[in-house]
Amino acid sequence: MKDQNAQADEAEVNGKEAGAARRAEGAAPEATPADQPAAAPRSGPPIRAGAWMVPAYAGALLAIFLGERVVPTIEGLRYALSGLGVLTLLLVTALRFATAVRETGERRAVERALAILSALGLVAVAAYFTTTDAGRAMLGVSRAAPELRARIDAATTVGWVALLVIATVPLFFGEAALAPMRRAERIEGRRVRAATLSGVTLAFAAVYSALFVYAAGQLELKADFSYYRTARPGDSTKRVAESLTEPLKITAFFPQLNDVGAEVEGYLREVKAASPQITVEMQDRLLVPALAKEAKVTQDGVIVLTRGTSRETLTVGADMKTAAAKLKSLDADFQKVLLKVIRAQRIAYMTVGHGELNETSSSAEGRTTKNLRKLLESQNYLIKDLGLAQGLGSEIPKDASVVIVLGPQKEFLPEEVDALKRYANGGGHLLLALDPEAKVDLDPLARVAGLTWKPVVLANDRVHVRRRFNDSDQAMLVTTRYSSHASVSTLSRHAQQAPTIFPGASSLDKVEGADVKADFVVRTLGETFADTNGNFKFDQGSEQRSAYNLAAAVSKEIAPGGADGKDKKELRAFVLADADALTDAVFRNEPNIVLALDAFRWLGGEESFAGEITTNEDVRIEHTKEKDQVWFWATILVAPAMVLGLGLFITRRGRRASGRRA
């Protein structure tokens, strides 16, 4: 009896397992008795529409893009593509809402959300329509003021782009999550909602980033840390632009979407902001051949400055590889042509015949003045020699804007000194650079400007520049002491960051009773002493530490001129107690360049132009033979030895630690 019951239970269990297996495998149910009607066979879940909607939606947007951006000049094709795209968007959006109404449960909620996103994309396209010519005319925007119209166009463009991104990105994310479940009986709404929300987050992040960049682009701020960065307008260039009293037109000829052109445009926009007299245009010479021909421009990458009948050009180039060096010195090059446009060329006479530094024979240890000559040329000066043949012994030429005496090694003749005095007393402008190394009496030249010259070399055993690494380096003076005079205004504003170098200087003082105004604009540090015995050491008792005068700005009014300041005559002289401060070797120190530049501007009556000229040119790195040997052995032997030693130390330490643990 027990066996029969066990067999019955086993049969029942086997029957249940077989039925479950048949249901799992989708097998047909067992045949029903003959007295019951057979059930109709079940088909799979109904196939729902919607899988084709995303490709249709994307294709509609592509058609609108092609019609509005690719073929906007072919009206028939434009209207066909744009119209087809808009109709497709309307159809897809209507079908989505119809599908949402027909469905139930989670599927209805999902389809309704996707339909709303589709409708939002349609709104974005409608907003784009307001930026077209027809849309502006329909809404009356085309009749608004130019500034208001520009603002409306900018706001509308930002709006439709943002709406389109916020609509399409979540829509595509949601459809990607829904696609595998479209044929299923039931869907996982939570998965679709999570994908859609991810798309919304990504879209808002993209829109925020784009709006942030757009807003930042409207600010007049720029920071460029790249290697090929472009020089920005310096204070000097901006002040030259501010001095304009007549309109100046700047036309830059660059191809559209050119990297160099974008850099140049940013620079010119900053220059334009300094003066309302300046207008800036960016032109493609191939699109405006008549304008390019008038400006005599035959290549890309040319900047043309026009003021009345005066015209100057600056060639930068349109290829970034070749124009990178030009962009780094753009401010200096631009100021050079700007000065040529706004004022006539001036003449600077340099005296010759006394072993001056500007003569070709002066070349020992970088005691040349090629860079000083380039600096004068950049300020639109024409440089000429002035010797006995040119009137130095009788009368200085009338066209002289400034006369320059650079470290003469021989004494001037009395007739030459008298000629300079007559020139100064007539309202002339002088730059005198006297040097104690000449071992000649240059005091008569200093007295032309109402000063006395003391030939004793100054030294400083505490603060100096190392050059030869011996006691003679104590004569390489460094100073940051400047007055507030216009001839050193730039240095005085940045005194602590702008030390000037005077390698072997003497000192100056004012002649008692002289009827000139003498401002000593550069002085030594207080620890400096006059090395009377030439041993480059401070001798207590016989030598005294003090602040000595290194440079002086001398002025004297000769004739007041009219009420407008024209025809005014004024003696101006800038005197240096060390000619080496203007040589090429010392010009590697930028503050010395600024000293010379501001001095010439003051001499020319252009002290308002004082300021820095920015440049991003690479500073040349120079090594001595000893330094090269140090670098060679450091990289070949020392560095590998240090790495090897560190590796051995770490390895041995690890082995010891392993032994202790064992």
Side-chain angles (χ1 to χ4, degrees):
M1 188 68 173
K2 292 181 179 180
D3 293 339
Q4 292 178 355
N5 291 336
Q7 292 177 358
D9 292 340
E10 185 179 356
E12 183 178 358
V13 171
N14 292 336
K16 290 180 179 180
E17 293 178 353
R22 284 195 298 270
R23 286 194 299 272
E25 295 173 1
E30 295 180 357
T32 57
D35 56 346
Q36 295 183 4
R42 295 178 59 186
S43 60
I47 299 176
R48 293 178 169 85
W52 55 272
M53 291 186 181
V54 171
Y57 197 88
L61 293 176
L62 178 61
I64 295 174
F65 172 79
L66 294 175
E68 298 297 319
R69 297 295 181 183
V70 179
V71 291
T73 57
I74 307 176
E75 292 189 358
L77 187 57
R78 174 193 177 187
Y79 292 141
L81 290 173
S82 300
L84 177 62
V86 172
L87 290 176
T88 305
L89 288 180
L90 287 170
L91 175 62
V92 171
T93 304
L95 287 177
R96 282 195 178 279
F97 277 103
T99 303
V101 172
R102 187 174 64 248
E103 297 292 350
T104 59
E106 287 192 346
R107 193 180 291 274
R108 169 180 286 185
V110 169
E111 292 290 352
R112 184 169 58 244
L114 297 179
I116 292 173
L117 292 174
S118 180
L120 189 62
L122 193 59
V123 173
V125 173
Y128 164 76
F129 175 74
T130 62
T131 63
T132 61
D133 294 337
R136 294 192 190 98
M138 184 181 298
L139 298 176
V141 177
S142 58
R143 296 186 296 273
E147 293 184 1
L148 178 60
R149 184 167 65 249
R151 292 180 180 178
I152 294 175
D153 288 345
T156 309
T157 301
V158 171
W160 76 259
V161 172
L163 282 177
L164 189 62
V165 173
I166 294 172
T168 55
V169 174
L171 177 62
F172 294 159
F173 274 50
E175 279 289 349
L178 180 61
M181 298 182 287
R182 281 199 173 276
R183 295 175 58 88
E185 185 68 26
R186 302 175 66 181
I187 65 172
E188 296 184 37
R190 183 173 58 182
R191 180 185 298 179
V192 179
R193 284 193 296 272
T196 305
L197 290 176
S198 298
V200 171
T201 303
L202 181 61
F204 272 102
V207 170
Y208 173 80
S209 301
L211 291 177
F212 181 82
V213 173
Y214 175 78
Q218 303 305 309
L219 300 176
E220 295 296 332
L221 298 175
K222 183 179 179 181
D224 190 353
F225 301 100
S226 62
Y227 178 74
Y228 291 110
R229 56 188 179 274
T230 302
R232 297 180 60 184
D235 293 338
S236 177
T237 303
K238 291 179 180 179
R239 287 170 182 165
V240 174
E242 290 171 358
S243 68
L244 289 172
T245 57
E246 297 181 12
L248 172 68
K249 182 180 179 181
I250 304 176
T251 308
F253 291 90
F254 287 88
Q256 295 181 355
L257 303 178
N258 181 263
D259 293 338
V260 181
E263 296 292 330
V264 171
E265 182 178 10
Y267 174 88
L268 295 179
R269 296 298 177 190
E270 291 191 50
V271 175
K272 178 182 181 300
S275 173
Q277 299 287 348
I278 298 178
T279 58
V280 176
E281 292 183 1
M282 302 295 296
Q283 300 287 355
D284 188 337
R285 67 181 181 87
L286 299 180
L287 298 180
V288 286
L291 182 61
K293 183 178 180 181
E294 180 184 358
K296 298 181 180 180
V297 175
T298 58
Q299 61 179 339
D300 294 325
V302 178
I303 304 173
V304 180
L305 286 74
T306 306
R307 180 174 175 264
T309 58
S310 179
R311 176 185 295 148
E312 293 291 336
T313 61
L314 172 62
T315 302
V316 179
D319 184 16
M320 182 59 78
K321 293 182 179 179
T322 57
K326 285 282 188 179
L327 291 177
K328 292 181 179 182
S329 60
L330 180 60
D331 189 45
D333 296 338
F334 180 81
Q335 186 182 120
K336 182 177 180 179
V337 297
L338 179 61
L339 289 172
K340 289 182 178 180
V341 170
I342 67 174
R343 66 167 169 79
Q345 190 176 46
R346 298 178 177 182
I347 299 178
Y349 281 93
M350 287 186 173
T351 61
V352 294
H354 311 87
E356 287 89 346
L357 296 179
N358 49 285
E359 295 188 77
T360 55
S361 59
S362 301
S363 58
E365 296 186 359
R367 299 189 79 223
T368 54
T369 57
K370 295 179 181 178
N371 289 327
L372 180 64
R373 183 181 292 268
K374 291 179 181 178
L375 183 67
L376 283 169
E377 292 173 349
S378 72
Q379 300 301 301
N380 200 20
Y381 277 92
L382 176 64
I383 301 173
K384 294 183 178 181
D385 291 338
L386 177 61
L388 289 174
Q390 291 81 24
L392 180 57
S394 55
E395 184 180 8
I396 305 299
K398 299 292 185 182
D399 60 352
S401 299
V402 61
V403 174
I404 304 171
V405 181
L406 290 178
Q409 304 297 303
K410 300 177 182 179
E411 293 185 14
F412 274 56
L413 297 175
E415 294 81 7
E416 296 174 328
V417 175
D418 291 339
L420 290 175
K421 283 183 179 180
R422 289 192 297 272
Y423 172 72
N425 293 332
H429 298 166
L430 294 167
L431 186 139
L432 305 176
L434 312 178
D435 198 89
E437 295 182 10
K439 307 300 182 182
V440 296
D441 185 14
L442 301 178
D443 189 64
L445 286 176
R447 290 183 178 273
V448 171
L451 302 175
T452 61
W453 175 69
K454 300 176 181 179
V456 179
V457 176
L458 304 178
N460 191 321
D461 55 356
R462 299 176 183 175
V463 182
H464 53 267
V465 176
R466 304 290 287 174
R467 181 175 61 177
R468 299 187 180 93
F469 294 91
N470 54 37
D471 290 341
S472 65
D473 289 340
Q474 296 179 17
M476 297 280 293
L477 302 182
V478 180
T479 184
T480 57
R481 298 188 60 179
Y482 313 110
S483 74
S484 58
H485 193 265
S487 60
V488 290
S489 59
T490 305
L491 293 175
S492 62
R493 286 197 303 269
H494 310 282
Q496 298 305 316
Q497 295 80 31
T500 48
I501 300 174
F502 290 81
S506 51
S507 59
L508 302 168
D509 209 340
K510 183 180 178 181
V511 175
E512 291 188 11
D515 59 344
V516 296
K517 180 181 178 182
D519 291 285
F520 294 102
V521 295
V522 184
R523 307 187 75 192
T524 66
L525 301 179
E527 303 89 352
T528 306
F529 59 92
D531 189 20
T532 55
N533 56 11
N535 63 353
F536 300 108
K537 294 180 180 180
F538 177 67
D539 299 319
Q540 191 74 30
S542 61
E543 297 174 349
Q544 183 180 359
R545 296 185 186 273
S546 181
Y548 295 85
N549 302 317
L550 294 175
V554 181
S555 60
K556 177 184 177 181
E557 185 174 305
I558 306 299
D564 56 355
K566 291 184 177 180
D567 299 327
K568 178 182 178 180
K569 290 185 178 181
E570 182 183 22
L571 158 65
R572 288 193 176 188
F574 193 85
V575 185
L576 283 167
D578 183 16
D580 288 308
L582 303 179
T583 57
D584 294 338
V586 181
F587 261 30
R588 298 172 186 173
N589 181 49
E590 188 173 350
N592 281 72
I593 301 176
V594 176
L595 173 66
L597 183 60
D598 281 2
F600 281 114
R601 284 170 175 162
W602 176 73
L603 289 172
E606 297 174 335
E607 53 267 27
S608 61
F609 296 171
E612 298 90 347
I613 298 177
T614 60
T615 177
N616 291 318
E617 291 184 294
D618 298 327
V619 178
R620 184 179 179 182
I621 300 176
E622 295 185 353
H623 291 167
T624 62
K625 184 177 180 180
E626 292 76 11
K627 289 183 179 180
D628 288 336
Q629 289 180 351
V630 171
W631 279 107
F632 174 79
W633 291 113
T635 54
I636 297 300
L637 183 61
V638 177
M642 291 178 62
V643 173
L644 179 60
L646 181 62
L648 291 175
F649 172 75
I650 295 175
T651 302
R652 290 176 62 85
R653 186 177 180 182
R655 290 177 179 176
R656 290 176 182 176
S658 299
R660 286 195 297 268
R661 286 196 298 270

PDB file of all heavy atoms in Angstrom, residues 256-282:
ATOM      1  N   GLN A 256      39.293  84.036 -44.725  1.00  0.00           N
ATOM      2  CA  GLN A 256      38.309  83.739 -43.691  1.00  0.00           C
ATOM      3  C   GLN A 256      38.710  82.481 -42.926  1.00  0.00           C
ATOM      4  O   GLN A 256      39.293  81.559 -43.476  1.00  0.00           O
ATOM      5  CB  GLN A 256      36.928  83.563 -44.318  1.00  0.00           C
ATOM      6  CG  GLN A 256      36.391  84.834 -44.963  1.00  0.00           C
ATOM      7  CD  GLN A 256      35.015  84.649 -45.567  1.00  0.00           C
ATOM      8  OE1 GLN A 256      34.488  83.540 -45.598  1.00  0.00           O
ATOM      9  NE2 GLN A 256      34.419  85.722 -46.041  1.00  0.00           N
ATOM     10  N   LEU A 257      38.398  82.475 -41.628  1.00  0.00           N
ATOM     11  CA  LEU A 257      38.693  81.339 -40.743  1.00  0.00           C
ATOM     12  C   LEU A 257      40.183  81.007 -40.744  1.00  0.00           C
ATOM     13  O   LEU A 257      40.587  79.857 -40.827  1.00  0.00           O
ATOM     14  CB  LEU A 257      37.875  80.108 -41.138  1.00  0.00           C
ATOM     15  CG  LEU A 257      36.346  80.288 -41.159  1.00  0.00           C
ATOM     16  CD1 LEU A 257      35.676  79.004 -41.612  1.00  0.00           C
ATOM     17  CD2 LEU A 257      35.837  80.717 -39.805  1.00  0.00           C
ATOM     18  N   ASN A 258      41.000  82.057 -40.645  1.00  0.00           N
ATOM     19  CA  ASN A 258      42.456  81.896 -40.630  1.00  0.00           C
ATOM     20  C   ASN A 258      42.962  82.081 -39.204  1.00  0.00           C
ATOM     21  O   ASN A 258      42.576  83.037 -38.523  1.00  0.00           O
ATOM     22  CB  ASN A 258      43.107  82.912 -41.577  1.00  0.00           C
ATOM     23  CG  ASN A 258      44.613  82.788 -41.619  1.00  0.00           C
ATOM     24  OD1 ASN A 258      45.320  83.507 -40.953  1.00  0.00           O
ATOM     25  ND2 ASN A 258      45.108  81.853 -42.421  1.00  0.00           N
ATOM     26  N   ASP A 259      43.829  81.182 -38.747  1.00  0.00           N
ATOM     27  CA  ASP A 259      44.325  81.247 -37.370  1.00  0.00           C
ATOM     28  C   ASP A 259      45.127  82.517 -37.113  1.00  0.00           C
ATOM     29  O   ASP A 259      44.962  83.173 -36.083  1.00  0.00           O
ATOM     30  CB  ASP A 259      45.189  80.018 -37.062  1.00  0.00           C
ATOM     31  CG  ASP A 259      44.383  78.732 -37.049  1.00  0.00           C
ATOM     32  OD1 ASP A 259      43.154  78.828 -36.855  1.00  0.00           O
ATOM     33  OD2 ASP A 259      44.970  77.650 -37.236  1.00  0.00           O
ATOM     34  N   VAL A 260      46.002  82.874 -38.043  1.00  0.00           N
ATOM     35  CA  VAL A 260      46.800  84.093 -37.866  1.00  0.00           C
ATOM     36  C   VAL A 260      45.895  85.315 -37.884  1.00  0.00           C
ATOM     37  O   VAL A 260      46.064  86.249 -37.090  1.00  0.00           O
ATOM     38  CB  VAL A 260      47.883  84.184 -38.952  1.00  0.00           C
ATOM     39  CG1 VAL A 260      48.734  85.435 -38.752  1.00  0.00           C
ATOM     40  CG2 VAL A 260      48.758  82.943 -38.948  1.00  0.00           C
ATOM     41  N   GLY A 261      44.909  85.309 -38.778  1.00  0.00           N
ATOM     42  CA  GLY A 261      43.974  86.425 -38.843  1.00  0.00           C
ATOM     43  C   GLY A 261      43.203  86.612 -37.552  1.00  0.00           C
ATOM     44  O   GLY A 261      42.954  87.739 -37.112  1.00  0.00           O
ATOM     45  N   ALA A 262      42.830  85.506 -36.900  1.00  0.00           N
ATOM     46  CA  ALA A 262      42.119  85.603 -35.627  1.00  0.00           C
ATOM     47  C   ALA A 262      42.998  86.232 -34.553  1.00  0.00           C
ATOM     48  O   ALA A 262      42.537  87.047 -33.746  1.00  0.00           O
ATOM     49  CB  ALA A 262      41.653  84.213 -35.192  1.00  0.00           C
ATOM     50  N   GLU A 263      44.285  85.868 -34.532  1.00  0.00           N
ATOM     51  CA  GLU A 263      45.201  86.455 -33.558  1.00  0.00           C
ATOM     52  C   GLU A 263      45.398  87.948 -33.824  1.00  0.00           C
ATOM     53  O   GLU A 263      45.388  88.763 -32.897  1.00  0.00           O
ATOM     54  CB  GLU A 263      46.551  85.729 -33.611  1.00  0.00           C
ATOM     55  CG  GLU A 263      46.498  84.277 -33.204  1.00  0.00           C
ATOM     56  CD  GLU A 263      46.192  84.108 -31.732  1.00  0.00           C
ATOM     57  OE1 GLU A 263      46.566  85.003 -30.943  1.00  0.00           O
ATOM     58  OE2 GLU A 263      45.572  83.106 -31.363  1.00  0.00           O
ATOM     59  N   VAL A 264      45.573  88.307 -35.075  1.00  0.00           N
ATOM     60  CA  VAL A 264      45.767  89.712 -35.431  1.00  0.00           C
ATOM     61  C   VAL A 264      44.513  90.523 -35.134  1.00  0.00           C
ATOM     62  O   VAL A 264      44.584  91.663 -34.649  1.00  0.00           O
ATOM     63  CB  VAL A 264      46.166  89.834 -36.913  1.00  0.00           C
ATOM     64  CG1 VAL A 264      46.167  91.289 -37.363  1.00  0.00           C
ATOM     65  CG2 VAL A 264      47.539  89.219 -37.146  1.00  0.00           C
ATOM     66  N   GLU A 265      43.348  89.949 -35.397  1.00  0.00           N
ATOM     67  CA  GLU A 265      42.099  90.665 -35.125  1.00  0.00           C
ATOM     68  C   GLU A 265      41.956  90.975 -33.638  1.00  0.00           C
ATOM     69  O   GLU A 265      41.546  92.070 -33.249  1.00  0.00           O
ATOM     70  CB  GLU A 265      40.904  89.842 -35.607  1.00  0.00           C
ATOM     71  CG  GLU A 265      39.570  90.554 -35.401  1.00  0.00           C
ATOM     72  CD  GLU A 265      38.399  89.752 -35.920  1.00  0.00           C
ATOM     73  OE1 GLU A 265      38.602  88.569 -36.263  1.00  0.00           O
ATOM     74  OE2 GLU A 265      37.283  90.297 -35.977  1.00  0.00           O
ATOM     75  N   GLY A 266      42.309  90.002 -32.783  1.00  0.00           N
ATOM     76  CA  GLY A 266      42.249  90.246 -31.346  1.00  0.00           C
ATOM     77  C   GLY A 266      43.173  91.379 -30.927  1.00  0.00           C
ATOM     78  O   GLY A 266      42.807  92.219 -30.093  1.00  0.00           O
ATOM     79  N   TYR A 267      44.367  91.427 -31.500  1.00  0.00           N
ATOM     80  CA  TYR A 267      45.309  92.509 -31.187  1.00  0.00           C
ATOM     81  C   TYR A 267      44.759  93.857 -31.647  1.00  0.00           C
ATOM     82  O   TYR A 267      44.780  94.848 -30.897  1.00  0.00           O
ATOM     83  CB  TYR A 267      46.650  92.224 -31.862  1.00  0.00           C
ATOM     84  CG  TYR A 267      47.657  93.343 -31.720  1.00  0.00           C
ATOM     85  CD1 TYR A 267      48.497  93.400 -30.615  1.00  0.00           C
ATOM     86  CD2 TYR A 267      47.759  94.342 -32.682  1.00  0.00           C
ATOM     87  CE1 TYR A 267      49.415  94.429 -30.469  1.00  0.00           C
ATOM     88  CE2 TYR A 267      48.668  95.379 -32.546  1.00  0.00           C
ATOM     89  CZ  TYR A 267      49.494  95.414 -31.444  1.00  0.00           C
ATOM     90  OH  TYR A 267      50.392  96.436 -31.311  1.00  0.00           O
ATOM     91  N   LEU A 268      44.249  93.910 -32.883  1.00  0.00           N
ATOM     92  CA  LEU A 268      43.758  95.178 -33.424  1.00  0.00           C
ATOM     93  C   LEU A 268      42.525  95.667 -32.678  1.00  0.00           C
ATOM     94  O   LEU A 268      42.321  96.885 -32.540  1.00  0.00           O
ATOM     95  CB  LEU A 268      43.452  95.017 -34.913  1.00  0.00           C
ATOM     96  CG  LEU A 268      44.659  94.724 -35.821  1.00  0.00           C
ATOM     97  CD1 LEU A 268      44.214  94.557 -37.266  1.00  0.00           C
ATOM     98  CD2 LEU A 268      45.709  95.821 -35.708  1.00  0.00           C
ATOM     99  N   ARG A 269      41.694  94.756 -32.196  1.00  0.00           N
ATOM    100  CA  ARG A 269      40.518  95.176 -31.433  1.00  0.00           C
ATOM    101  C   ARG A 269      40.932  95.877 -30.140  1.00  0.00           C
ATOM    102  O   ARG A 269      40.294  96.849 -29.703  1.00  0.00           O
ATOM    103  CB  ARG A 269      39.637  93.970 -31.106  1.00  0.00           C
ATOM    104  CG  ARG A 269      39.025  93.275 -32.326  1.00  0.00           C
ATOM    105  CD  ARG A 269      38.112  94.195 -33.102  1.00  0.00           C
ATOM    106  NE  ARG A 269      37.586  93.533 -34.296  1.00  0.00           N
ATOM    107  CZ  ARG A 269      36.923  94.164 -35.263  1.00  0.00           C
ATOM    108  NH1 ARG A 269      36.719  95.474 -35.170  1.00  0.00           N
ATOM    109  NH2 ARG A 269      36.480  93.498 -36.308  1.00  0.00           N
ATOM    110  N   GLU A 270      41.989  95.404 -29.512  1.00  0.00           N
ATOM    111  CA  GLU A 270      42.471  96.055 -28.298  1.00  0.00           C
ATOM    112  C   GLU A 270      43.053  97.429 -28.616  1.00  0.00           C
ATOM    113  O   GLU A 270      42.900  98.370 -27.831  1.00  0.00           O
ATOM    114  CB  GLU A 270      43.513  95.182 -27.607  1.00  0.00           C
ATOM    115  CG  GLU A 270      42.952  93.897 -27.007  1.00  0.00           C
ATOM    116  CD  GLU A 270      43.959  93.208 -26.107  1.00  0.00           C
ATOM    117  OE1 GLU A 270      44.525  93.877 -25.221  1.00  0.00           O
ATOM    118  OE2 GLU A 270      44.191  92.003 -26.295  1.00  0.00           O
ATOM    119  N   VAL A 271      43.733  97.560 -29.757  1.00  0.00           N
ATOM    120  CA  VAL A 271      44.252  98.874 -30.159  1.00  0.00           C
ATOM    121  C   VAL A 271      43.094  99.826 -30.438  1.00  0.00           C
ATOM    122  O   VAL A 271      43.116 101.003 -30.048  1.00  0.00           O
ATOM    123  CB  VAL A 271      45.166  98.745 -31.390  1.00  0.00           C
ATOM    124  CG1 VAL A 271      45.598 100.110 -31.891  1.00  0.00           C
ATOM    125  CG2 VAL A 271      46.385  97.898 -31.061  1.00  0.00           C
ATOM    126  N   LYS A 272      42.061  99.330 -31.097  1.00  0.00           N
ATOM    127  CA  LYS A 272      40.900 100.161 -31.427  1.00  0.00           C
ATOM    128  C   LYS A 272      40.211 100.683 -30.169  1.00  0.00           C
ATOM    129  O   LYS A 272      39.706 101.813 -30.139  1.00  0.00           O
ATOM    130  CB  LYS A 272      39.911  99.352 -32.262  1.00  0.00           C
ATOM    131  CG  LYS A 272      38.638 100.094 -32.641  1.00  0.00           C
ATOM    132  CD  LYS A 272      37.707  99.205 -33.431  1.00  0.00           C
ATOM    133  CE  LYS A 272      36.442  99.964 -33.834  1.00  0.00           C
ATOM    134  NZ  LYS A 272      35.688 100.447 -32.651  1.00  0.00           N
ATOM    135  N   ALA A 273      40.188  99.851 -29.127  1.00  0.00           N
ATOM    136  CA  ALA A 273      39.532 100.276 -27.887  1.00  0.00           C
ATOM    137  C   ALA A 273      40.230 101.461 -27.239  1.00  0.00           C
ATOM    138  O   ALA A 273      39.633 102.152 -26.405  1.00  0.00           O
ATOM    139  CB  ALA A 273      39.472  99.107 -26.910  1.00  0.00           C
ATOM    140  N   ALA A 274      41.468 101.751 -27.609  1.00  0.00           N
ATOM    141  CA  ALA A 274      42.217 102.849 -27.000  1.00  0.00           C
ATOM    142  C   ALA A 274      41.868 104.204 -27.600  1.00  0.00           C
ATOM    143  O   ALA A 274      42.161 105.233 -26.988  1.00  0.00           O
ATOM    144  CB  ALA A 274      43.724 102.598 -27.139  1.00  0.00           C
ATOM    145  N   SER A 275      41.257 104.241 -28.770  1.00  0.00           N
ATOM    146  CA  SER A 275      40.972 105.525 -29.412  1.00  0.00           C
ATOM    147  C   SER A 275      39.729 105.422 -30.290  1.00  0.00           C
ATOM    148  O   SER A 275      39.602 104.487 -31.094  1.00  0.00           O
ATOM    149  CB  SER A 275      42.168 105.969 -30.268  1.00  0.00           C
ATOM    150  OG  SER A 275      41.854 107.129 -31.010  1.00  0.00           O
ATOM    151  N   PRO A 276      38.805 106.393 -30.177  1.00  0.00           N
ATOM    152  CA  PRO A 276      37.631 106.391 -31.068  1.00  0.00           C
ATOM    153  C   PRO A 276      37.969 106.790 -32.500  1.00  0.00           C
ATOM    154  O   PRO A 276      37.118 106.676 -33.390  1.00  0.00           O
ATOM    155  CB  PRO A 276      36.706 107.424 -30.409  1.00  0.00           C
ATOM    156  CG  PRO A 276      37.631 108.337 -29.657  1.00  0.00           C
ATOM    157  CD  PRO A 276      38.767 107.483 -29.199  1.00  0.00           C
ATOM    158  N   GLN A 277      39.196 107.258 -32.734  1.00  0.00           N
ATOM    159  CA  GLN A 277      39.597 107.663 -34.075  1.00  0.00           C
ATOM    160  C   GLN A 277      39.980 106.471 -34.958  1.00  0.00           C
ATOM    161  O   GLN A 277      40.184 106.647 -36.152  1.00  0.00           O
ATOM    162  CB  GLN A 277      40.798 108.624 -33.990  1.00  0.00           C
ATOM    163  CG  GLN A 277      40.520 109.911 -33.240  1.00  0.00           C
ATOM    164  CD  GLN A 277      39.635 110.859 -34.037  1.00  0.00           C
ATOM    165  OE1 GLN A 277      39.397 110.663 -35.224  1.00  0.00           O
ATOM    166  NE2 GLN A 277      39.134 111.882 -33.374  1.00  0.00           N
ATOM    167  N   ILE A 278      40.069 105.291 -34.367  1.00  0.00           N
ATOM    168  CA  ILE A 278      40.553 104.123 -35.100  1.00  0.00           C
ATOM    169  C   ILE A 278      39.380 103.255 -35.535  1.00  0.00           C
ATOM    170  O   ILE A 278      38.462 102.977 -34.743  1.00  0.00           O
ATOM    171  CB  ILE A 278      41.522 103.298 -34.238  1.00  0.00           C
ATOM    172  CG1 ILE A 278      42.758 104.128 -33.878  1.00  0.00           C
ATOM    173  CG2 ILE A 278      41.950 102.026 -34.950  1.00  0.00           C
ATOM    174  CD1 ILE A 278      43.742 103.405 -32.986  1.00  0.00           C
ATOM    175  N   THR A 279      39.394 102.820 -36.777  1.00  0.00           N
ATOM    176  CA  THR A 279      38.446 101.822 -37.280  1.00  0.00           C
ATOM    177  C   THR A 279      39.235 100.627 -37.794  1.00  0.00           C
ATOM    178  O   THR A 279      40.307 100.794 -38.389  1.00  0.00           O
ATOM    179  CB  THR A 279      37.581 102.388 -38.420  1.00  0.00           C
ATOM    180  OG1 THR A 279      38.430 102.842 -39.477  1.00  0.00           O
ATOM    181  CG2 THR A 279      36.725 103.544 -37.919  1.00  0.00           C
ATOM    182  N   VAL A 280      38.712  99.439 -37.551  1.00  0.00           N
ATOM    183  CA  VAL A 280      39.397  98.197 -37.921  1.00  0.00           C
ATOM    184  C   VAL A 280      38.480  97.383 -38.827  1.00  0.00           C
ATOM    185  O   VAL A 280      37.291  97.211 -38.537  1.00  0.00           O
ATOM    186  CB  VAL A 280      39.779  97.375 -36.672  1.00  0.00           C
ATOM    187  CG1 VAL A 280      40.395  96.043 -37.071  1.00  0.00           C
ATOM    188  CG2 VAL A 280      40.754  98.155 -35.799  1.00  0.00           C
ATOM    189  N   GLU A 281      39.040  96.874 -39.927  1.00  0.00           N
ATOM    190  CA  GLU A 281      38.304  96.003 -40.851  1.00  0.00           C
ATOM    191  C   GLU A 281      39.140  94.766 -41.144  1.00  0.00           C
ATOM    192  O   GLU A 281      40.349  94.871 -41.358  1.00  0.00           O
ATOM    193  CB  GLU A 281      37.984  96.727 -42.160  1.00  0.00           C
ATOM    194  CG  GLU A 281      36.993  97.860 -42.034  1.00  0.00           C
ATOM    195  CD  GLU A 281      36.676  98.494 -43.381  1.00  0.00           C
ATOM    196  OE1 GLU A 281      37.231  98.009 -44.410  1.00  0.00           O
ATOM    197  OE2 GLU A 281      35.890  99.462 -43.416  1.00  0.00           O
ATOM    198  N   MET A 282      38.482  93.613 -41.141  1.00  0.00           N
ATOM    199  CA  MET A 282      39.109  92.357 -41.555  1.00  0.00           C
ATOM    200  C   MET A 282      38.531  91.977 -42.911  1.00  0.00           C
ATOM    201  O   MET A 282      37.312  91.793 -43.044  1.00  0.00           O
ATOM    202  CB  MET A 282      38.849  91.262 -40.523  1.00  0.00           C
ATOM    203  CG  MET A 282      39.334  91.573 -39.123  1.00  0.00           C
ATOM    204  SD  MET A 282      41.134  91.735 -38.985  1.00  0.00           S
ATOM    205  CE  MET A 282      41.654  90.074 -39.411  1.00  0.00           C
TER     206      MET A 282
END
